[in-house]
Amino acid sequence: MIPRILQLVLVSLCVVALDGSYAAAQEVAPVLSGSFTDLCSADSKHPPKLWRISSRLDPALWRSRIVCDLSSPSRPILHITVHPGDAPDQSVGDAPIERVEIQIKKEVIKFDRPTWYHFAFRLQAPWQGLGNRTVIHQVKQNIPTEEVKPLGMCQSANPLFKIEAIPTETGADFVAKVRGADDCNAGQSRIICGPWHLNVGEWNNVNVMLKPSLQEGESSLQVSLNGRACDISYTGRLGYLDHGMRDQDGHPFIDTQPRFGIYRDSLPGIVQSIDFADIKFWSTDPSGDSSWSKSAISAN
């Protein structure tokens, strides 16, 4: 028989080993990959399961506006193109817009919970439209249609977080903006990052840690571009304290989950294209994941 002391030693070693395995498992954050696979064959009868496509975009245009390049399994690329007149829309008091965007269907962004995510993008030449509002990523809490002017009292909703790639004479400017308000007609967008120069045709890596809150001072937002952290780590309100979208139980929620693509003020005669890759989301700190660490948020 094994002596009592030796038994205790073996049990202790097993416990240590198990604790070590548990700790190692805890270091690996669960990841949701924004796969493009079902976007490649999407049509009106077979919409993608993971993504929503801009609702005003004619499904007959999906195959020409959203193109998948799966030739490299390690880095599938999504090519998105906007033509004049694509998914046109105009809110009261705003300029007419056009867009082609995809939106993750899963509820990855929730109020008062942190989410980490990463994506890569590449602007395709020519990236035209000097000074034009050109949003390539956004997260939004909408205001119900019946509460928006002229039916209701509110101005149209603005993204609580968005990234723009504003065309310039030498390429584009990367700009990150936030917006939160206690009243649907109050508040303005605030720049927390940029303008930083982007070279057209080159890949860029973006990391985001986002915990939106309707309570002033309770949000947390950090953004980095190619490893360079934005100047401001935002902690103010994000979303609409009043009139923002509510679920069936009356709780505020973020109905516009992360969108990727092009949302722009109308540009007659101008076609724009952008590539996306490596879209991933984490519900816990992903510091140990190479997909995150290759563009980790760091000091300037």
Side-chain angles (χ1 to χ4, degrees):
M1 294 181 61
I2 301 176
R4 177 65 176 169
I5 294 178
L6 182 55
Q7 284 183 323
L8 292 175
V9 170
L10 290 173
V11 169
S12 298
L13 289 174
C14 289
V15 170
V16 170
L18 288 172
D19 286 346
S21 298
Y22 178 76
Q26 289 294 93
E27 291 175 0
V28 180
V31 58
L32 169 65
S33 177
S35 170
F36 304 139
T37 303
D38 63 352
L39 279 165
C40 303
S41 57
D43 56 37
S44 58
K45 295 182 179 179
H46 306 91
K49 296 179 181 179
L50 185 61
W51 300 97
R52 291 188 178 92
I53 299 173
S54 299
S55 60
R56 291 177 179 267
L57 183 66
D58 185 348
L61 298 175
W62 287 2
R63 295 287 187 92
S64 62
R65 303 299 193 261
I66 301 171
V67 179
C68 301
D69 179 0
L70 305 179
S71 58
S72 174
S74 61
R75 190 180 175 88
I77 296 171
L78 186 70
H79 186 73
I80 294 180
T81 300
V82 176
H83 290 246
D86 281 348
D89 197 5
Q90 184 171 9
S91 301
V92 175
D94 289 340
I97 61 94
E98 47 211 9
R99 72 202 313 163
V100 177
E101 294 175 293
I102 60 168
Q103 174 185 319
I104 194 79
K105 287 184 177 181
K106 292 183 179 293
E107 190 181 7
V108 294
I109 306 295
K110 299 179 181 180
F111 282 117
D112 300 305
R113 294 186 185 181
T115 300
W116 292 257
Y117 59 100
H118 167 84
F119 66 94
F121 73 92
R122 176 175 60 186
L123 308 178
Q124 292 287 346
W127 192 256
Q128 298 173 283
L130 289 181
N132 196 65
R133 176 181 56 163
T134 310
V135 180
I136 63 170
H137 170 63
Q138 61 174 305
V139 179
K140 189 175 184 180
Q141 181 199 23
N142 274 305
I143 295 170
T145 303
E146 64 273 14
E147 297 185 29
V148 177
K149 295 179 179 180
L151 300 177
M153 61 174 289
C154 295
Q155 300 288 345
S156 58
N158 286 296
L160 59 87
F161 169 56
K162 67 177 176 179
I163 293 173
E164 299 182 9
I166 304 171
T168 66
E169 292 182 354
T170 57
D173 281 339
F174 177 94
V175 177
K177 297 180 179 180
V178 296
R179 189 178 192 275
D182 57 1
D183 183 286
C184 62
N185 291 310
Q188 294 182 337
S189 293
R190 175 184 177 185
I191 295 176
I192 63 166
C193 194
W196 291 346
H197 177 73
L198 295 170
N199 291 322
V200 175
E202 293 185 3
W203 281 104
N204 301 278
N205 286 293
V206 177
N207 277 4
V208 178
M209 191 287 290
L210 172 59
K211 188 195 81 170
S213 178
L214 292 172
Q215 304 305 312
E216 187 64 42
E218 294 300 318
S219 295
S220 182
L221 173 61
Q222 299 176 47
V223 184
S224 76
L225 173 69
N226 298 326
R228 179 185 180 185
C230 287
D231 300 327
I232 298 173
S233 295
Y234 185 77
T235 59
R237 180 180 287 114
L238 288 173
Y240 294 97
L241 190 59
D242 76 336
H243 294 282
M245 197 68 76
R246 262 58 176 174
D247 62 21
Q248 59 185 8
D249 297 319
H251 301 129
F253 79 104
I254 297 166
D255 58 303
T256 302
Q257 292 291 313
R259 284 180 176 172
F260 305 88
I262 301 175
Y263 170 104
R264 69 183 193 182
D265 293 328
S266 294
L267 286 172
I270 293 179
V271 175
Q272 285 179 303
S273 296
I274 184 172
D275 293 338
F276 288 96
D278 302 335
I279 300 176
K280 292 184 179 180
F281 301 89
W282 297 265
S283 57
T284 58
D285 189 338
S287 298
D289 192 312
S290 60
S291 299
W292 172 268
S293 59
K294 68 182 178 183
S295 180
I297 292 174
S298 61
N300 290 346

